[in-house]
Amino acid sequence: MYTERASRLTGAIVWTNTPEGAGGGPVLPDGCMDLLWSGGRLLVAGPDTGPYVPKGPPRFWAGVRFFPGTAPALLGVPAHEVRDLRVELADLWPAARVRRLRDRVAAAPDPATALEDIALQQAERTAAPDPLLHRLVERLDEGRPVSATAAELGISTRTLHRRCLGAFGYGPKTLARILRLQRALALARSGTPYAETAVRVGYADQPHLTREVRELAGMPLGELLGGG
C-alpha cells in the first residue's frame, strides 16, 4: 500500500510503500529525486527517464520526494550523475555521517518522518533553491515551449539546457515531456477519456499520447492504469 503526505520541507512529499504481491508496479518518471530508506539502507533515487522496477522481493520503502530541481543542491550531486540510478547515500556523503543517520532511522518509530527530519536538517545547511528552477518547472508544466520559456527567464536555450542537466538530470525538452506525462496520468486516473486527456495536456492526438506513455512508462496506458 502506498501513502503520501506533504512534507514540512517546502514542495517535498513524504511517502511510504509496502508493495502487495511480487515486485509491485513500476516507478514512473516524475522530474524528481528521492531520499530513500529500505532494508536498513539509505539510498538516493536519481531522476528517471523511463520506468524503474524495484528488484528482489517486495519490501517496505519510505522516502522523501524533493520538488523537481531542488535535490542536487541538498544532496550534493549533479542530477545527471545519478540519472536512472539508485545509489547509496554513503557514496555521496561521509560514511561515518551516513552510519549515524542510518542508525537513527532504524531506531525511529516512523522511518518516513526520520527521513524528513534529515532532509530538513540538510536544507538548513544549504542555500535556498534557485527560484529560476521553480519558475522553469511552472512554465513547462503549463505547457510553454522551451524556447519561449528560456526567453521569459532571460537566458539562452543553451544555458537553460546546461542548468537543466545539473538540476533535473536531462534537458528541458525531456523535463517537459515527463511533466506532461504526469499531467496526462492524473487526468486519465480521474476518469477523463483518453482522447480528451490528450487534447487537454497538449498532445497532438490520442495516438501521440499512446506513444509517449509507451516510451516513458514502458506499457500501454490502459495496462498502466489497471484497465488491462
Side-chain angles (χ1 to χ4, degrees):
M1 182 177 67
Y2 176 84
T3 64
E4 67 175 40
R5 63 171 173 81
S7 173
R8 289 169 286 155
L9 179 64
T10 302
I13 297 293
V14 179
W15 59 269
T16 62
N17 190 26
T18 305
E20 300 176 358
V27 178
L28 303 183
D30 58 8
C32 301
M33 293 173 57
D34 294 59
L35 178 62
L36 305 172
W37 169 260
S38 186
R41 302 164 66 198
L42 284 168
L43 304 163
V44 169
D48 293 320
T49 57
Y52 173 81
V53 180
K55 299 178 181 178
R59 62 179 184 269
F60 172 81
W61 290 85
V64 175
R65 182 177 305 116
F66 300 101
F67 186 82
T70 62
L74 287 171
L75 300 176
V77 60
H80 63 86
E81 292 188 6
V82 291
R83 182 175 55 230
D84 294 319
L85 297 175
R86 272 50 178 173
V87 300
E88 299 282 347
L89 184 61
D91 291 339
L92 307 177
W93 292 4
R97 182 186 178 201
V98 174
R99 282 196 298 272
R100 292 193 298 271
L101 295 174
R102 186 178 60 220
D103 292 344
R104 194 168 97 192
V105 177
D110 180 7
T113 298
L115 279 181
E116 182 184 26
D117 290 339
I118 292 171
L120 286 164
Q121 290 168 4
Q122 186 66 13
E124 292 175 355
R125 305 180 178 197
T126 309
D130 184 348
L132 180 144
L133 297 175
H134 195 284
R135 295 199 301 273
L136 169 63
V137 172
E138 287 182 333
R139 300 298 191 279
L140 294 181
D141 201 28
E142 291 168 356
R144 305 278 186 90
V146 169
S147 57
T149 297
E152 288 179 27
L153 298 177
I155 59 178
S156 68
T157 54
R158 185 173 181 178
T159 298
L160 179 62
H161 190 272
R162 185 176 67 250
R163 296 282 295 274
C164 282
L165 285 179
F168 305 103
Y170 31 64
K173 290 184 178 179
T174 298
L175 176 62
R177 289 177 65 204
I178 287 170
L179 294 174
R180 183 172 59 180
L181 171 71
Q182 290 295 329
R183 295 198 307 275
L185 293 178
L187 272 179
R189 287 180 177 128
S190 73
T192 303
Y194 295 168
E196 181 181 346
T197 292
V199 171
R200 288 177 60 179
V201 302
Y203 292 107
D205 49 28
Q206 185 174 335
H208 185 197
L209 166 64
T210 298
R211 291 193 301 272
E212 284 287 279
V213 171
R214 279 187 176 274
E215 184 167 341
L216 293 172
M219 63 180 69
L221 181 58
E223 182 179 342
L224 180 63
L225 300 182

